[in-house]
Protein backbone atom coordinates (compact mmCIF):
# COMPACT_ATOMS: atom_id res chain seq x y z
CA UNK A 1 0.00 0.00 0.00
CA UNK A 2 2.74 2.39 1.00
CA UNK A 3 4.60 1.70 -2.22
CA UNK A 4 1.38 2.14 -4.12
CA UNK A 5 0.88 5.58 -2.53
CA UNK A 6 4.43 6.55 -3.32
CA UNK A 7 3.96 5.39 -6.88
CA UNK A 8 0.81 7.49 -7.15
CA UNK A 9 2.56 10.56 -5.76
CA UNK A 10 5.47 10.00 -8.11
CA UNK A 11 3.09 9.80 -11.03
CA UNK A 12 1.37 13.04 -9.99
CA UNK A 13 4.74 14.75 -9.60
CA UNK A 14 5.82 13.43 -12.98
CA UNK A 15 2.65 14.74 -14.62
CA UNK A 16 3.08 18.08 -12.81
CA UNK A 17 6.69 18.28 -13.97
CA UNK A 18 5.72 17.45 -17.56
CA UNK A 19 2.99 20.12 -17.50
CA UNK A 20 5.42 22.66 -16.08
CA UNK A 21 8.04 21.73 -18.64
CA UNK A 22 5.53 22.07 -21.45
CA UNK A 23 4.47 25.46 -20.11
CA UNK A 24 8.09 26.58 -19.88
CA UNK A 25 8.65 25.58 -23.44
CA UNK A 26 5.70 27.76 -24.41
CA UNK A 27 6.41 30.45 -21.84
CA UNK A 28 7.64 33.01 -24.35
CA UNK A 29 5.27 35.83 -25.16
CA UNK A 30 3.85 35.11 -28.63
CA UNK A 31 4.43 37.70 -31.30
CA UNK A 32 2.46 37.82 -34.54
CA UNK A 33 4.24 39.22 -37.56
CA UNK A 34 2.13 41.91 -39.18
CA UNK A 35 2.24 43.02 -42.78
CA UNK A 36 -0.08 44.73 -45.26
CA UNK A 37 -3.13 42.65 -46.04
CA UNK A 38 -2.46 42.98 -49.76
CA UNK A 39 0.86 41.17 -49.48
CA UNK A 40 1.16 37.48 -50.35
CA UNK A 41 1.27 34.82 -47.66
CA UNK A 42 4.74 34.49 -46.13
CA UNK A 43 6.81 31.53 -47.24
CA UNK A 44 8.21 30.94 -43.78
CA UNK A 45 6.46 28.22 -41.78
CA UNK A 46 5.93 30.06 -38.49
CA UNK A 47 4.36 27.01 -36.85
CA UNK A 48 7.82 25.38 -36.90
CA UNK A 49 9.43 28.34 -35.15
CA UNK A 50 6.75 30.45 -33.42
CA UNK A 51 7.87 34.00 -32.79
CA UNK A 52 8.15 35.02 -29.17
CA UNK A 53 9.39 38.23 -27.59
CA UNK A 54 12.14 36.27 -25.85
CA UNK A 55 13.16 34.37 -28.99
CA UNK A 56 13.36 37.56 -31.03
CA UNK A 57 15.38 39.31 -28.33
CA UNK A 58 17.79 36.39 -28.11
CA UNK A 59 18.14 36.49 -31.88
CA UNK A 60 18.82 40.21 -31.82
CA UNK A 61 21.56 39.76 -29.23
CA UNK A 62 23.16 36.98 -31.23
CA UNK A 63 22.92 39.08 -34.40
CA UNK A 64 24.93 41.88 -32.78
CA UNK A 65 27.37 39.66 -30.88
CA UNK A 66 30.83 39.00 -32.37
CA UNK A 67 30.93 35.82 -30.32
CA UNK A 68 29.76 34.12 -33.52
CA UNK A 69 33.14 34.67 -35.20
CA UNK A 70 36.34 32.77 -34.53
CA UNK A 71 38.26 35.70 -33.02
CA UNK A 72 35.15 37.42 -31.62
CA UNK A 73 35.56 40.50 -33.81
CA UNK A 74 32.80 40.17 -36.41
CA UNK A 75 29.07 40.00 -35.86
CA UNK A 76 26.22 39.68 -38.35
CA UNK A 77 25.75 43.42 -37.94
CA UNK A 78 29.30 44.06 -39.13
CA UNK A 79 28.04 43.60 -42.68
CA UNK A 80 24.32 44.17 -42.09
CA UNK A 81 23.78 47.61 -40.57
CA UNK A 82 20.24 48.50 -39.55
CA UNK A 83 20.49 52.12 -40.75
CA UNK A 84 21.31 50.95 -44.27
CA UNK A 85 18.55 48.38 -44.60
CA UNK A 86 20.91 45.79 -43.15
CA UNK A 87 23.25 46.11 -46.14
CA UNK A 88 26.89 47.21 -46.00
CA UNK A 89 27.57 50.61 -47.51
CA UNK A 90 31.21 50.85 -46.45
CA UNK A 91 32.45 48.08 -48.71
CA UNK A 92 31.72 46.70 -52.14
CA UNK A 93 32.30 43.20 -50.81
CA UNK A 94 31.57 41.82 -47.37
CA UNK A 95 34.49 41.53 -45.02
CA UNK A 96 35.39 39.10 -42.28
CA UNK A 97 37.77 38.49 -39.44
CA UNK A 98 41.39 39.63 -39.72
CA UNK A 99 40.38 42.13 -42.43
CA UNK A 100 39.61 39.36 -44.88
CA UNK A 101 37.60 40.48 -47.89
CA UNK A 102 34.80 38.30 -49.18
CA UNK A 103 33.58 37.80 -52.70
CA UNK A 104 30.09 39.32 -52.67
CA UNK A 105 28.22 42.44 -51.67
CA UNK A 106 26.20 41.96 -48.47
CA UNK A 107 22.51 41.65 -49.31
CA UNK A 108 19.75 43.71 -47.75
CA UNK A 109 17.93 41.91 -44.95
CA UNK A 110 14.23 42.69 -45.05
CA UNK A 111 10.98 40.87 -45.62
CA UNK A 112 12.81 37.58 -45.33
CA UNK A 113 9.64 35.69 -44.41
CA UNK A 114 8.71 35.96 -48.09
CA UNK A 115 12.00 34.56 -49.40
CA UNK A 116 12.56 31.01 -50.50
CA UNK A 117 16.19 31.40 -51.59
CA UNK A 118 18.95 33.10 -49.67
CA UNK A 119 22.38 34.38 -50.74
CA UNK A 120 23.08 35.78 -54.21
CA UNK A 121 23.16 32.30 -55.72
CA UNK A 122 20.37 30.74 -53.65
CA UNK A 123 22.81 28.39 -51.96
CA UNK A 124 20.59 28.35 -48.88
CA UNK A 125 16.93 27.41 -49.17
CA UNK A 126 15.66 28.06 -45.65
CA UNK A 127 16.09 31.12 -43.48
CA UNK A 128 16.93 28.99 -40.43
CA UNK A 129 20.05 27.72 -42.15
CA UNK A 130 21.23 30.99 -43.66
CA UNK A 131 23.41 31.98 -40.71
CA UNK A 132 25.48 28.81 -41.10
CA UNK A 133 27.00 30.21 -44.28
CA UNK A 134 28.71 33.35 -42.89
CA UNK A 135 29.61 31.58 -39.63
CA UNK A 136 31.53 28.89 -41.52
CA UNK A 137 32.92 30.93 -44.43
CA UNK A 138 36.69 31.39 -44.06
CA UNK A 139 36.44 34.94 -45.41
CA UNK A 140 33.71 35.91 -42.99
CA UNK A 141 33.44 34.49 -39.46
CA UNK A 142 35.66 31.44 -40.09
CA UNK A 143 34.06 29.49 -37.26
CA UNK A 144 31.63 26.62 -36.88
CA UNK A 145 28.17 26.29 -35.38
CA UNK A 146 29.53 23.59 -33.08
CA UNK A 147 32.07 25.99 -31.59
CA UNK A 148 29.55 28.82 -31.43
CA UNK A 149 27.25 26.62 -29.36
CA UNK A 150 30.11 25.56 -27.11
CA UNK A 151 31.15 29.18 -26.59
CA UNK A 152 27.59 30.34 -25.88
CA UNK A 153 27.15 27.63 -23.28
CA UNK A 154 30.29 28.84 -21.50
CA UNK A 155 28.95 32.38 -21.08
CA UNK A 156 27.02 33.65 -18.10
CA UNK A 157 24.72 35.87 -20.12
CA UNK A 158 23.17 33.46 -22.60
CA UNK A 159 21.87 30.37 -20.74
CA UNK A 160 19.00 32.30 -19.12
CA UNK A 161 18.05 33.83 -22.47
CA UNK A 162 17.96 30.40 -24.13
CA UNK A 163 15.84 29.17 -21.23
CA UNK A 164 13.42 32.08 -21.60
CA UNK A 165 13.18 31.59 -25.35
CA UNK A 166 13.15 27.83 -25.70
CA UNK A 167 12.65 26.37 -22.22
CA UNK A 168 16.17 24.98 -22.02
CA UNK A 169 19.20 26.87 -20.82
CA UNK A 170 21.55 24.81 -22.98
CA UNK A 171 22.20 26.35 -26.36
CA UNK A 172 21.93 24.01 -29.34
CA UNK A 173 22.59 24.58 -33.00
CA UNK A 174 18.88 24.48 -33.73
CA UNK A 175 18.08 27.01 -30.99
CA UNK A 176 20.80 29.43 -32.14
CA UNK A 177 19.58 29.29 -35.73
CA UNK A 178 15.91 29.59 -34.80
CA UNK A 179 16.58 32.61 -32.59
CA UNK A 180 18.53 34.36 -35.33
CA UNK A 181 15.73 33.55 -37.77
CA UNK A 182 13.13 34.95 -35.38
CA UNK A 183 14.92 38.28 -35.19
CA UNK A 184 15.46 38.43 -38.94
CA UNK A 185 11.81 37.60 -39.58
CA UNK A 186 10.80 40.74 -37.72
CA UNK A 187 12.73 42.90 -40.19
CA UNK A 188 9.64 43.84 -42.17
CA UNK A 189 9.79 46.94 -44.30
CA UNK A 190 6.26 47.94 -45.29
CA UNK A 191 5.87 51.60 -44.49
CA UNK A 192 7.52 53.47 -47.33
CA UNK A 193 5.73 56.25 -49.17
CA UNK A 194 4.92 53.66 -51.83
CA UNK A 195 3.04 51.62 -49.18
CA UNK A 196 1.17 54.66 -47.91
CA UNK A 197 0.14 55.52 -51.46
CA UNK A 198 -1.06 51.97 -52.00
CA UNK A 199 -3.01 52.18 -48.76
CA UNK A 200 -4.66 55.43 -49.89
CA UNK A 201 -2.91 57.45 -47.20
CA UNK A 202 -0.61 59.46 -49.43
CA UNK A 203 -0.16 60.41 -53.08
CA UNK A 204 2.73 60.32 -55.51
CA UNK A 205 3.97 63.59 -56.98
CA UNK A 206 3.67 63.87 -60.75
CA UNK A 207 7.36 63.01 -61.05
CA UNK A 208 7.05 59.98 -58.80
CA UNK A 209 3.91 58.87 -60.65
CA UNK A 210 5.71 59.02 -63.97
CA UNK A 211 8.63 57.15 -62.43
CA UNK A 212 6.21 54.50 -61.20
CA UNK A 213 4.86 54.13 -64.74
CA UNK A 214 8.38 53.72 -66.09
CA UNK A 215 9.17 51.24 -63.33
CA UNK A 216 6.13 49.14 -64.18
CA UNK A 217 7.06 49.18 -67.87
CA UNK A 218 10.73 48.37 -67.50
CA UNK A 219 11.60 46.91 -64.11
CA UNK A 220 8.59 45.24 -62.49
CA UNK A 221 8.88 41.90 -64.25
CA UNK A 222 11.91 41.09 -62.09
CA UNK A 223 11.43 43.54 -59.24
CA UNK A 224 7.84 42.52 -58.73
CA UNK A 225 5.57 44.43 -56.36
CA UNK A 226 4.94 44.52 -53.45
CA UNK A 227 8.25 42.94 -52.38
CA UNK A 228 10.10 44.43 -55.36
CA UNK A 229 11.67 41.12 -56.26
CA UNK A 230 10.22 38.00 -57.84
CA UNK A 231 12.59 36.06 -55.60
CA UNK A 232 14.31 34.17 -58.40
CA UNK A 233 17.50 34.51 -60.42
CA UNK A 234 18.31 36.58 -63.49
CA UNK A 235 21.24 37.31 -65.75
CA UNK A 236 21.39 41.09 -66.08
CA UNK A 237 24.24 41.23 -68.58
CA UNK A 238 26.98 42.40 -66.27
CA UNK A 239 30.40 41.46 -67.61
CA UNK A 240 32.18 39.11 -65.24
CA UNK A 241 34.69 40.55 -62.80
CA UNK A 242 37.75 38.48 -63.63
CA UNK A 243 39.16 39.19 -60.19
CA UNK A 244 36.26 37.29 -58.67
CA UNK A 245 35.17 34.91 -61.42
CA UNK A 246 31.78 34.61 -59.80
CA UNK A 247 29.41 32.78 -62.14
CA UNK A 248 26.49 32.90 -59.72
CA UNK A 249 23.61 30.45 -59.60
CA UNK A 250 25.26 27.88 -61.88
CA UNK A 251 27.65 26.96 -59.07
CA UNK A 252 24.68 25.68 -57.09
CA UNK A 253 22.34 24.38 -59.80
CA UNK A 254 25.11 23.16 -62.14
CA UNK A 255 22.74 24.06 -64.94
CA UNK A 256 24.62 25.95 -67.68
CA UNK A 257 21.50 28.06 -68.28
CA UNK A 258 22.08 29.57 -64.83
CA UNK A 259 25.52 30.93 -65.69
CA UNK A 260 25.89 34.51 -64.39
CA UNK A 261 22.43 34.47 -62.89
CA UNK A 262 22.07 36.05 -59.47
CA UNK A 263 19.19 36.52 -57.10
CA UNK A 264 17.09 39.57 -57.92
CA UNK A 265 17.43 41.82 -54.85
CA UNK A 266 14.57 43.81 -53.43
CA UNK A 267 14.45 47.48 -54.34
CA UNK A 268 12.93 48.43 -51.01
CA UNK A 269 15.21 50.96 -49.27
CA UNK A 270 17.41 50.96 -52.36
CA UNK A 271 18.31 54.59 -51.64
CA UNK A 272 20.26 53.50 -48.54
CA UNK A 273 21.57 50.09 -49.54
CA UNK A 274 24.39 51.00 -51.90
CA UNK A 275 26.62 49.79 -53.42
CA UNK A 276 24.67 47.80 -55.96
CA UNK A 277 24.92 44.45 -57.76
CA UNK A 278 26.35 41.19 -56.43
CA UNK A 279 29.89 42.56 -56.51
CA UNK A 280 29.01 46.09 -55.42
CA UNK A 281 30.37 47.56 -58.63
CA UNK A 282 27.93 50.49 -58.79
CA UNK A 283 28.11 53.00 -55.97
CA UNK A 284 25.34 55.30 -57.18
CA UNK A 285 21.79 54.42 -58.07
CA UNK A 286 22.04 56.59 -61.17
CA UNK A 287 24.95 54.42 -62.32
CA UNK A 288 22.63 51.42 -62.19
CA UNK A 289 19.95 53.18 -64.20
CA UNK A 290 22.54 54.37 -66.71
CA UNK A 291 23.86 50.82 -67.01
CA UNK A 292 20.44 49.47 -67.95
CA UNK A 293 19.57 52.44 -70.15
CA UNK A 294 22.83 52.90 -72.01
CA UNK A 295 24.01 49.35 -72.63
CA UNK A 296 22.50 46.31 -74.23
CA UNK A 297 22.58 44.50 -70.92
CA UNK A 298 19.02 43.27 -71.04
CA UNK A 299 17.23 41.42 -73.83
CA UNK A 300 14.94 44.41 -74.16
CA UNK A 301 16.83 47.66 -73.82
CA UNK A 302 15.38 50.20 -71.42
CA UNK A 303 14.92 53.46 -73.35
CA UNK A 304 14.91 56.43 -70.99
CA UNK A 305 15.35 60.14 -71.57
CA UNK A 306 17.41 62.10 -69.02
CA UNK A 307 14.22 63.41 -67.44
CA UNK A 308 12.73 59.93 -67.29
CA UNK A 309 15.81 58.66 -65.47
CA UNK A 310 15.25 61.32 -62.84
CA UNK A 311 11.57 60.42 -62.60
CA UNK A 312 12.47 56.76 -62.14
CA UNK A 313 14.90 57.73 -59.38
CA UNK A 314 12.19 59.78 -57.72
CA UNK A 315 9.94 56.74 -57.66
CA UNK A 316 12.70 54.51 -56.28
CA UNK A 317 13.14 56.97 -53.43
CA UNK A 318 9.51 56.36 -52.47
CA UNK A 319 10.62 52.85 -51.46
CA UNK A 320 12.59 54.27 -48.55
CA UNK A 321 11.05 53.20 -45.26
CA UNK A 322 12.46 55.38 -42.49
CA UNK A 323 10.42 53.61 -39.83
CA UNK A 324 12.31 50.47 -40.83
CA UNK A 325 15.73 52.08 -41.10
CA UNK A 326 15.54 53.77 -37.74
CA UNK A 327 13.50 51.26 -35.79
CA UNK A 328 15.17 51.03 -32.35
CA UNK A 329 13.97 47.47 -31.83
CA UNK A 330 16.16 46.41 -34.76
CA UNK A 331 19.25 48.16 -33.42
CA UNK A 332 22.10 47.22 -31.13
CA UNK A 333 20.83 46.09 -27.71
CA UNK A 334 22.10 48.84 -25.45
CA UNK A 335 21.63 47.20 -22.05
CA UNK B 1 -8.10 -4.16 -23.07
CA UNK B 2 -7.09 -4.65 -26.65
CA UNK B 3 -3.94 -2.59 -26.15
CA UNK B 4 -0.55 -3.96 -27.00
CA UNK B 5 2.50 -2.99 -25.03
CA UNK B 6 5.47 -1.68 -26.89
CA UNK B 7 8.82 -3.37 -26.68
CA UNK B 8 12.25 -2.07 -27.49
CA UNK B 9 13.84 -3.75 -30.43
CA UNK B 10 17.28 -3.07 -31.77
CA UNK B 11 18.43 -3.40 -35.33
CA UNK B 12 22.17 -3.21 -35.65
CA UNK B 13 23.82 -1.73 -38.72
CA UNK B 14 27.37 -2.91 -39.31
CA UNK B 15 29.46 -1.17 -41.95
CA UNK B 16 32.06 -3.54 -43.34
CA UNK B 17 34.58 -3.91 -46.11
CA UNK B 18 35.09 -7.29 -47.70
CA UNK B 19 33.10 -8.64 -44.76
CA UNK B 20 35.47 -7.14 -42.19
CA UNK B 21 33.75 -4.83 -39.71
CA UNK B 22 34.92 -1.25 -40.14
CA UNK B 23 36.30 0.43 -37.03
CA UNK B 24 37.54 4.03 -37.02
CA UNK B 25 41.09 4.22 -38.37
CA UNK B 26 41.40 0.45 -38.23
CA UNK B 27 43.86 -0.77 -40.90
CA UNK B 28 42.37 -3.02 -43.56
CA UNK B 29 44.39 -5.08 -46.01
CA UNK B 30 42.16 -5.50 -49.04
CA UNK B 31 41.89 -8.66 -51.12
CA UNK B 32 44.01 -6.94 -53.75
CA UNK B 33 46.72 -6.17 -51.21
CA UNK B 34 46.04 -2.46 -50.81
CA UNK B 35 45.95 -0.61 -47.50
CA UNK B 36 42.71 1.01 -46.46
CA UNK B 37 41.37 2.77 -43.38
CA UNK B 38 38.20 4.69 -42.67
CA UNK B 39 38.70 7.83 -40.59
CA UNK B 40 35.02 8.75 -40.62
CA UNK B 41 31.85 7.01 -41.68
CA UNK B 42 28.60 8.75 -40.86
CA UNK B 43 25.23 8.61 -42.51
CA UNK B 44 21.58 9.32 -41.96
CA UNK B 45 18.98 6.57 -42.07
CA UNK B 46 15.46 7.94 -41.96
CA UNK B 47 11.77 7.17 -42.51
CA UNK B 48 12.00 3.63 -41.20
CA UNK B 49 8.95 1.47 -42.00
CA UNK B 50 8.27 -2.19 -41.13
CA UNK B 51 6.18 -4.21 -43.61
CA UNK B 52 4.24 -7.45 -43.52
CA UNK B 53 3.03 -8.94 -46.80
CA UNK B 54 3.67 -5.63 -48.52
CA UNK B 55 1.61 -3.61 -46.03
CA UNK B 56 3.16 -1.09 -43.67
CA UNK B 57 2.62 -2.35 -40.10
CA UNK B 58 4.83 0.11 -38.24
CA UNK B 59 6.08 3.53 -39.26
CA UNK B 60 8.54 5.22 -36.96
CA UNK B 61 7.64 8.81 -36.08
CA UNK B 62 10.27 11.53 -36.46
CA UNK B 63 12.48 8.88 -37.94
CA UNK B 64 16.03 10.18 -38.27
CA UNK B 65 19.10 8.23 -37.18
CA UNK B 66 22.64 9.49 -37.51
CA UNK B 67 24.98 6.51 -37.69
CA UNK B 68 28.60 7.14 -36.76
CA UNK B 69 31.28 4.47 -36.47
CA UNK B 70 33.03 6.63 -33.88
CA UNK B 71 29.98 6.27 -31.65
CA UNK B 72 29.18 2.55 -31.81
CA UNK B 73 25.92 3.03 -29.92
CA UNK B 74 24.52 4.90 -32.90
CA UNK B 75 24.83 1.74 -35.00
CA UNK B 76 22.12 0.13 -32.86
CA UNK B 77 18.85 1.52 -34.16
CA UNK B 78 16.31 1.35 -31.36
CA UNK B 79 12.61 1.13 -32.08
CA UNK B 80 9.65 1.01 -29.76
CA UNK B 81 7.31 -1.37 -31.57
CA UNK B 82 4.20 -3.31 -30.54
CA UNK B 83 5.16 -6.53 -28.77
CA UNK B 84 3.28 -8.77 -31.18
CA UNK B 85 4.42 -7.04 -34.35
CA UNK B 86 5.28 -9.40 -37.15
CA UNK B 87 7.16 -8.03 -40.11
CA UNK B 88 8.95 -9.45 -43.09
CA UNK B 89 10.51 -6.34 -44.61
CA UNK B 90 12.22 -3.20 -43.36
CA UNK B 91 12.42 -0.07 -45.48
CA UNK B 92 14.33 3.14 -44.86
CA UNK B 93 15.83 6.07 -46.66
CA UNK B 94 19.53 6.78 -46.79
CA UNK B 95 19.67 10.51 -46.19
CA UNK B 96 17.28 13.29 -45.29
CA UNK B 97 14.25 13.99 -47.47
CA UNK B 98 13.20 17.33 -48.90
CA UNK B 99 10.21 17.61 -46.56
CA UNK B 100 12.52 17.57 -43.55
CA UNK B 101 14.75 20.16 -45.17
CA UNK B 102 11.73 22.44 -45.44
CA UNK B 103 11.11 22.28 -41.68
CA UNK B 104 14.09 24.48 -40.88
CA UNK B 105 16.58 24.00 -38.07
CA UNK B 106 15.95 20.83 -36.09
CA UNK B 107 17.47 19.37 -32.93
CA UNK B 108 18.71 15.92 -31.97
CA UNK B 109 20.45 13.97 -34.70
CA UNK B 110 19.42 16.69 -37.16
CA UNK B 111 21.06 19.53 -35.24
CA UNK B 112 23.42 21.38 -37.59
CA UNK B 113 26.12 21.07 -34.95
CA UNK B 114 26.47 17.40 -35.90
CA UNK B 115 28.72 18.37 -38.80
CA UNK B 116 26.35 16.91 -41.36
CA UNK B 117 25.02 20.14 -42.86
CA UNK B 118 26.44 22.27 -45.65
CA UNK B 119 26.44 25.98 -44.87
CA UNK B 120 26.96 26.98 -48.48
CA UNK B 121 25.10 24.24 -50.28
CA UNK B 122 21.91 24.34 -48.29
CA UNK B 123 21.24 20.83 -47.17
CA UNK B 124 22.17 17.83 -45.14
CA UNK B 125 25.15 15.68 -46.01
CA UNK B 126 23.50 12.28 -46.22
CA UNK B 127 26.68 10.22 -46.18
CA UNK B 128 30.18 11.17 -45.09
CA UNK B 129 32.99 8.72 -45.81
CA UNK B 130 36.58 9.75 -45.21
CA UNK B 131 39.72 7.72 -45.04
CA UNK B 132 43.03 6.51 -46.41
CA UNK B 133 43.48 4.23 -49.41
CA UNK B 134 46.87 3.40 -50.87
CA UNK B 135 45.38 3.50 -54.38
CA UNK B 136 44.23 7.07 -53.93
CA UNK B 137 46.45 9.60 -55.74
CA UNK B 138 45.66 12.51 -53.45
CA UNK B 139 47.92 14.02 -50.82
CA UNK B 140 48.51 11.42 -48.10
CA UNK B 141 46.29 9.08 -50.13
CA UNK B 142 43.27 10.49 -48.34
CA UNK B 143 39.74 10.58 -49.68
CA UNK B 144 36.62 12.46 -48.64
CA UNK B 145 33.17 11.68 -49.95
CA UNK B 146 30.48 14.03 -48.69
CA UNK B 147 27.37 12.85 -50.47
CA UNK B 148 24.27 14.99 -50.16
CA UNK B 149 21.92 17.44 -51.78
CA UNK B 150 18.18 17.14 -52.09
CA UNK B 151 17.30 19.47 -54.93
CA UNK B 152 17.12 18.63 -58.65
CA UNK B 153 19.05 17.84 -60.71
CA UNK B 154 21.09 15.84 -58.20
CA UNK B 155 18.89 14.60 -55.36
CA UNK B 156 20.86 11.98 -53.47
CA UNK B 157 18.20 10.52 -51.17
CA UNK B 158 17.93 6.78 -51.72
CA UNK B 159 15.31 4.28 -50.59
CA UNK B 160 16.21 0.81 -49.36
CA UNK B 161 13.85 -2.11 -48.76
CA UNK B 162 15.16 -5.33 -47.31
CA UNK B 163 13.45 -8.69 -46.79
CA UNK B 164 13.81 -9.89 -43.20
CA UNK B 165 14.83 -13.56 -42.87
CA UNK B 166 12.27 -15.82 -41.21
CA UNK B 167 12.60 -16.20 -37.42
CA UNK B 168 14.91 -13.22 -37.19
CA UNK B 169 14.00 -11.35 -34.02
CA UNK B 170 16.85 -8.86 -34.20
CA UNK B 171 17.95 -8.51 -37.78
CA UNK B 172 21.48 -7.42 -38.53
CA UNK B 173 21.98 -5.04 -41.44
CA UNK B 174 25.37 -5.16 -43.07
CA UNK B 175 26.61 -2.28 -45.20
CA UNK B 176 29.28 -3.72 -47.48
CA UNK B 177 31.34 -0.85 -48.86
CA UNK B 178 33.63 -2.80 -51.18
CA UNK B 179 31.31 -2.42 -54.22
CA UNK B 180 31.31 1.34 -53.63
CA UNK B 181 35.08 1.67 -53.48
CA UNK B 182 35.40 -0.61 -56.51
CA UNK B 183 33.42 1.90 -58.59
CA UNK B 184 35.81 4.76 -57.95
CA UNK B 185 38.47 5.79 -60.41
CA UNK B 186 41.32 6.25 -57.96
CA UNK B 187 43.64 7.61 -60.64
CA UNK B 188 41.72 10.89 -60.45
CA UNK B 189 40.98 13.10 -57.48
CA UNK B 190 38.02 11.26 -56.02
CA UNK B 191 36.95 13.85 -53.45
CA UNK B 192 33.34 15.04 -53.43
CA UNK B 193 32.31 18.09 -51.43
CA UNK B 194 29.10 19.28 -53.07
CA UNK B 195 25.94 17.99 -54.72
CA UNK B 196 26.73 16.60 -58.16
CA UNK B 197 25.93 13.75 -60.54
CA UNK B 198 28.69 11.54 -59.16
CA UNK B 199 27.34 12.00 -55.63
CA UNK B 200 23.97 10.83 -56.87
CA UNK B 201 25.51 7.76 -58.53
CA UNK B 202 27.62 6.90 -55.49
CA UNK B 203 24.64 7.30 -53.17
CA UNK B 204 22.73 4.78 -55.23
CA UNK B 205 25.60 2.28 -55.11
CA UNK B 206 25.84 2.61 -51.34
CA UNK B 207 22.08 2.18 -50.94
CA UNK B 208 22.33 -1.04 -52.93
CA UNK B 209 25.05 -2.29 -50.58
CA UNK B 210 22.83 -2.98 -47.58
CA UNK B 211 22.20 -6.64 -46.81
CA UNK B 212 20.17 -8.13 -44.01
CA UNK B 213 21.10 -11.17 -41.96
CA UNK B 214 19.27 -13.20 -39.33
CA UNK B 215 20.59 -13.24 -35.78
Amino acid sequence: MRNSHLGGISLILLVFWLVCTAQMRQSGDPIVLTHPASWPKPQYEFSKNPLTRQGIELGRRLFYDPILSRDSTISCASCHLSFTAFAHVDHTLSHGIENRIGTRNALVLSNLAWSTYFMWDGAVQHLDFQALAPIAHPLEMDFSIEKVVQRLNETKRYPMRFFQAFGDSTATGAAVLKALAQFELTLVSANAKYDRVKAGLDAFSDQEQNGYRLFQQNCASCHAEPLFTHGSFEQNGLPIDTGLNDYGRVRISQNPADTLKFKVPTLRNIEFSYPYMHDGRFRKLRDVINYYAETNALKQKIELTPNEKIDLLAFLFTLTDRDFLFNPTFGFPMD
Amino acid sequence: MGQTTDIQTVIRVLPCFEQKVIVPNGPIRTASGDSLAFHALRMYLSNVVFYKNGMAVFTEKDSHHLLDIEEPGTLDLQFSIPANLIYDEIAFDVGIDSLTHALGAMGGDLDPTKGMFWGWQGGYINIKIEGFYSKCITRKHEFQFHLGGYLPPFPTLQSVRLAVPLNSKTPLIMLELSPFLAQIDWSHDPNIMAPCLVAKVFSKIIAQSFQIHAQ
Side-chain angles (χ1 to χ4, degrees), chain B residues 34-36 131-145 181 184-191:
Chain B
D34 296 299
S35 297
L36 171 69
F132 164 91
Y133 196 21
S134 55
K135 291 173 76 172
C136 187
I137 61 152
T138 57
R139 180 173 170 268
K140 296 183 178 178
H141 304 286
E142 289 179 338
F143 59 84
Q144 296 181 76
F145 299 107
L181 265 66
I184 296 163
D185 180 359
W186 295 99
S187 65
H188 293 87
D189 185 344
N191 293 328

Side-chain angles (χ1 to χ4, degrees), chain A residues 73-290:
Chain A
T73 60
I74 295 289
S75 71
C76 305
S78 298
C79 290
H80 297 284
L81 188 67
S82 61
F83 306 116
T84 56
F86 291 93
H88 197 193
V89 297
D90 295 332
H91 299 265
T92 55
L93 304 172
S94 63
H95 68 84
I97 64 166
E98 298 170 348
N99 300 314
R100 298 173 188 179
I101 302 295
T103 58
R104 286 178 178 159
N105 181 16
L107 274 162
V108 162
L109 303 182
S110 69
N111 303 332
L112 297 173
W114 287 265
S115 288
T116 49
Y117 294 101
F118 302 87
M119 323 302 283
W120 281 102
D121 55 13
V124 179
Q125 291 95 40
H126 196 291
L127 179 61
D128 287 5
F129 298 126
Q130 190 280 333
L132 290 172
I135 288 172
H137 198 289
L139 298 178
E140 297 192 29
M141 293 172 166
D142 193 28
F143 212 30
S144 71
I145 187 69
E146 297 91 326
K147 290 172 182 165
V148 166
V149 165
Q150 182 184 350
R151 197 183 270 180
L152 289 170
N153 282 322
E154 290 168 354
T155 65
K156 288 184 179 174
R157 63 188 187 277
Y158 275 108
M160 179 55 75
R161 292 196 177 277
F162 276 96
F163 181 80
Q164 290 167 340
F166 297 110
D168 191 332
S169 59
T170 303
T172 65
V176 169
L177 297 175
K178 284 190 179 298
L180 281 166
Q182 285 198 32
F183 172 64
E184 291 175 330
L185 287 163
T186 65
L187 307 180
V188 175
S189 178
N191 197 27
K193 181 174 184 181
Y194 162 86
D195 300 296
R196 294 193 297 277
V197 171
K198 286 291 176 182
L201 303 173
D202 206 338
F204 286 138
S205 67
D206 290 345
Q207 188 179 42
E208 291 164 346
Q209 186 65 48
N210 193 42
Y212 184 35
R213 180 186 62 80
L214 293 165
F215 167 82
Q216 288 177 308
Q217 282 179 358
N218 298 295
C219 316
S221 61
C222 293
H223 296 284
E225 300 171 68
L227 297 164
F228 289 87
T229 172
H230 62 21
S232 194
F233 308 90
E234 298 290 345
Q235 210 271 49
N236 66 355
L238 284 176
I240 193 160
D241 180 331
T242 53
L244 296 171
N245 287 323
D246 187 349
Y247 290 87
R249 177 70 180 157
V250 65
R251 188 175 72 89
I252 301 303
S253 71
Q254 298 184 45
N255 178 358
D258 288 337
T259 302
L260 293 174
K261 282 188 179 178
F262 293 89
K263 183 179 176 182
V264 175
T266 181
L267 298 183
R268 284 184 173 272
N269 299 300
I270 193 78
E271 178 183 3
F272 284 89
S273 58
Y274 56 91
Y276 307 106
M277 305 297 177
H278 65 278
D279 52 11
R281 71 178 64 187
F282 296 131
R283 186 156 187 80
K284 303 290 185 187
L285 199 46
R286 65 170 178 268
D287 295 337
V288 178
I289 293 176
N290 285 336

Side-chain angles (χ1 to χ4, degrees), chain B residues 77-98:
Chain B
L77 308 184
Q78 300 198 24
F79 302 96
S80 183
I81 63 173
N84 57 355
L85 187 75
I86 299 171
Y87 55 92
D88 56 18
E89 283 182 295
I90 298 173
F92 54 84
D93 290 338
V94 182
I96 301 300
D97 63 21
S98 57

Side-chain angles (χ1 to χ4, degrees), chain B residues 3-24:
Chain B
Q3 288 185 328
T4 56
T5 48
D6 286 351
I7 59 163
Q8 295 292 319
T9 190
V10 175
I11 295 177
R12 174 163 292 179
V13 180
L14 271 188
C16 54
F17 185 87
E18 293 177 347
Q19 299 187 329
K20 300 180 190 79
V21 174
I22 294 172
V23 294

